[in-house]
Amino acid sequence: DIQMTQSPSSVSASVGDRVTITCRASQGISSWLVWYQQKPGKAPKLLIYAASSLQSGVPSRFSGSGSGTDFTLTISSLQPEDFATYYCQQANSFPPTFGQGTKLEIK
Amino acid sequence: QVQLQESGPGVVKPSETLSLTCTVSGGSISSYYWSWIRQPPGKGLEWIGYSSYSGSTNSNPSLKSRVTISVDTSKNQISLKLSSVTAADTAVYYCARSLIMGDYDALSLGYWGQGTLVTVSS
């Protein structure tokens, strides 16, 4: 299985801050990388697919980049509704695997 | 807008079979991949398996011998059966649909159900 490692595991930030979360795959996955946002008690929500494609309806302050083994999710200016847990997932090969999650908390 | 709703028993006894159904409304089952994912309380996400629109299935090797996934197009439902459950199978179980139609990018999950908590306990 391909291992996905996110960093940091948690981060504290303020409204208006720029935040970057990284995700590293244990082997190359081209651009087959998805980012999800999960709020407590809710299902994950797809934000970014194919490493950098913004899902319809997702605010443009979210962006993704990377290919191969190293990827990033950037939130350009944090809003109150962005405090949540973020997961990356490789969609290159079966079984799809998720990172352990990054919890974004209010400072 | 497609909606997914999981249903099934909230408690299953150890060694028994967990059975869940995902009912799809607002869209057809055809042409998409349908997956089951689970999340133990306070932990991360684990992919259980999928069924394609054509009926082909694949399950996580860590669970493969215990998992059965099937699609009933007449009822617009996807089912999950997980046999010989233990406490380690206690989790919120989600069904989800691939983002786009067809075989390309079948593993990006664009639509999710709200999830259902299943507790394994005697």
Side-chain angles (χ1 to χ4, degrees):
Chain A
D1 296 4
I2 297 175
Q3 286 196 338
M4 307 300 293
T5 304
Q6 289 180 232
S7 61
S9 295
S10 65
V11 58
S12 295
S14 301
V15 172
D17 284 354
R18 179 184 181 90
V19 171
T20 297
I21 299 168
T22 65
C23 179
R24 175 164 289 177
S26 60
Q27 62 190 75
I29 59 170
S30 186
S31 295
W32 295 103
L33 193 283
V34 187
W35 289 100
Y36 301 93
Q37 175 194 67
Q38 187 178 34
K39 296 182 179 179
K42 301 293 186 182
K45 171 187 174 184
L46 188 150
L47 300 175
I48 303 282
Y49 63 97
S52 60
S53 296
L54 191 68
Q55 169 66 334
S56 175
V58 174
S60 58
R61 62 181 180 272
F62 291 91
S63 63
S65 65
S67 66
T69 60
D70 294 314
F71 302 87
T72 60
L73 172 70
T74 299
I75 309 172
S76 60
S77 178
L78 276 173
Q79 298 302 301
E81 60 268 29
D82 299 338
F83 293 94
T85 300
Y86 293 83
Y87 293 93
C88 64
Q89 175 231 313
Q90 64 86 9
N92 179 74
S93 61
F94 202 85
T97 44
F98 295 88
Q100 80 279 16
T102 295
K103 188 173 184 178
L104 178 51
E105 299 175 302
I106 300 173
K107 184 181 287 185
Chain B
Q1 177 81 340
V2 64
Q3 293 186 321
L4 291 70
Q5 178 70 58
E6 303 89 349
S7 60
V11 180
V12 180
K13 290 182 169 54
S15 80
E16 295 190 345
T17 295
L18 177 160
S19 294
L20 296 175
T21 298
C22 174
T23 301
V24 179
S25 59
S28 173
I29 280 187
S30 301
S31 305
Y32 292 95
Y33 280 66
W34 301 90
S35 293
W36 288 95
I37 301 94
R38 68 181 183 179
Q39 185 172 37
K43 297 188 178 181
L45 298 158
E46 180 183 29
W47 202 296
I48 300 170
Y50 70 68
S51 177
S52 77
Y53 56 91
S54 63
S56 65
T57 61
N58 204 349
S59 304
N60 195 320
S62 66
L63 302 167
K64 193 165 192 173
S65 62
R66 299 197 291 133
V67 173
T68 302
I69 296 173
S70 60
V71 171
D72 186 335
T73 54
S74 66
K75 295 182 179 179
N76 251 26
Q77 291 180 334
I78 306 95
S79 68
L80 169 69
K81 294 187 187 299
L82 181 65
S83 63
S84 305
V85 298
T86 69
D89 295 309
T90 293
V92 175
Y93 286 77
Y94 295 101
C95 64
R97 197 202 80 181
S98 57
L99 179 61
I100 60 176
M101 296 172 62
D103 297 320
Y104 188 79
D105 200 10
L107 304 179
S108 296
L109 301 174
Y111 296 88
W112 295 62
Q114 65 186 25
T116 187
L117 175 63
V118 179
T119 302
V120 178
S121 173
S122 55

